[in-house]
Amino acid sequence: GKHRMEARRLHHVAPGAEKFVHEKCLPIVIVRDPYHWMQSMCKSPYAAHWRHGPHRCPNLVPSKRDNEKWDNIVFDQKELHTKDATTRNDDEGDSVTPFQVKITFDKDDIEYFDSLIDLWNEWYRPYWKNKDGYPRIIVRFEDMLMHAPVVM
């Protein structure tokens, strides 16, 4: 279905598409470069939630002000992502951990990512690696904009 992780492509059915044989559907994946994709997520985050505000988005690495503002706002401990977030030191030597991203597809379908760029990587990587060997088409968003007649 539209806007689902690759692992769910045969396990999620969009309303009205129940009659189709999903193994015979050709996935067409449009990939936007991560920088502009993150800017777009700031405008329309869909089901993604992470600590950011209009003053600083996508807010990949929190500032001291961000940490003070959002220090008491954490995801429920039982829902925390199982991967360890990468912690680095900033220019002043303070420990910096990227803001975690939570996506709620449905009440029983919630995913966690270490950061917004981790979400981008984990979203597109399975289509690129294609471990199941199914046919798919991957198109760069920028190519559709700049060279639509050739791409289409």
Side-chain angles (χ1 to χ4, degrees), residues 1-6 8 12 37-38 41 44-52 75-76 79-82 99-124:
K2 184 178 176 184
H3 299 290
R4 293 292 173 138
M5 304 280 300
E6 185 270 349
R8 291 174 179 77
H12 170 75
W37 176 83
M38 287 187 288
M41 287 295 286
S44 299
Y46 302 98
H49 303 278
W50 74 100
R51 297 176 215 159
H52 68 283
F75 293 129
D76 192 6
E79 295 179 350
L80 282 175
H81 197 212
T82 56
F99 283 131
Q100 187 184 47
V101 178
K102 173 183 177 180
I103 297 186
T104 306
F105 295 106
D106 292 314
K107 65 179 178 135
D108 298 323
D109 189 2
I110 300 171
E111 290 281 339
Y112 296 89
F113 301 90
D114 292 335
S115 66
L116 198 57
I117 198 63
D118 183 46
L119 165 60
W120 187 92
N121 283 324
E122 295 300 323
W123 192 277
Y124 293 110

Side-chain angles (χ1 to χ4, degrees), residues 28 31 34 37 88 100 105 116 131 145 151:
I28 299 174
V31 181
W37 176 83
R88 294 199 162 91
Q100 187 184 47
F105 295 106
L116 198 57
K131 67 179 172 79
L145 290 178
V151 172

Side-chain angles (χ1 to χ4, degrees), residues 28-73:
I28 299 174
V29 182
I30 300 172
V31 181
R32 192 167 191 181
D33 78 89
Y35 177 79
H36 290 101
W37 176 83
M38 287 187 288
Q39 287 181 329
S40 177
M41 287 295 286
C42 291
K43 294 177 187 171
S44 299
Y46 302 98
H49 303 278
W50 74 100
R51 297 176 215 159
H52 68 283
H55 71 286
R56 190 164 171 211
C57 192
N59 204 19
L60 298 178
V61 180
S63 66
K64 285 185 179 185
R65 180 177 156 217
D66 292 333
N67 281 329
E68 291 167 4
K69 178 179 178 181
W70 287 309
D71 189 41
N72 61 345
I73 302 172

